[in-house]
Amino acid sequence: MALATPVLQQKILEALEASSKITIDTDSSSDNSNKSDKARKDTAEALAKAIEAFVKSGTVTTTVTTTGSASAQTGTGTGSIS
C-alpha cells in the first residue's frame, strides 16, 4: 500500500490553520510570548501525530531466504510499520 500523502497534506494544513487562529494580544508581551509558545507546541504536536500516521500508513515488503538445508525456503513477507 502506498503512503497516504494526501492525508498527510490535509493534516499539515489543519495544524497550520489551527495555529493561525490563535489570537495574540500584541500589547501584552507576556500574552504574546505564552500564546506564541502554545501555538508552536500545538502545531509541533499535530505535525508529529500526522507524520507518525503517515509513516504507519505504509507497508513493508521483504524477501526472506533461508539456506543450508533441504528444507530451505524462499518467500516474501508483508507487514505494517508499528
Side-chain angles (χ1 to χ4, degrees), residues 2-82:
L3 292 172
T5 303
V7 174
L8 176 61
Q9 291 172 338
Q10 182 59 39
K11 293 298 183 182
I12 289 172
L13 283 173
E14 289 172 10
L16 294 174
E17 287 172 1
S19 71
S20 69
K21 291 180 181 177
I22 294 176
T23 57
I24 297 171
D25 180 359
T26 56
D27 292 333
S28 167
S29 62
S30 174
D31 186 55
N32 188 344
S33 176
N34 290 338
K35 289 195 177 177
S36 293
D37 187 50
K38 180 177 177 2
R40 285 190 299 275
K41 286 179 180 177
D42 289 352
T43 302
E45 181 180 352
L47 291 174
K49 288 179 181 179
I51 292 166
E52 179 183 21
F54 173 72
V55 170
K56 288 182 177 181
S57 74
T59 300
V60 176
T61 302
T62 61
T63 299
V64 179
T65 304
T66 61
T67 60
S69 70
S71 63
Q73 301 175 4
T74 61
T76 60
T78 302
S80 299
I81 300 170
S82 59

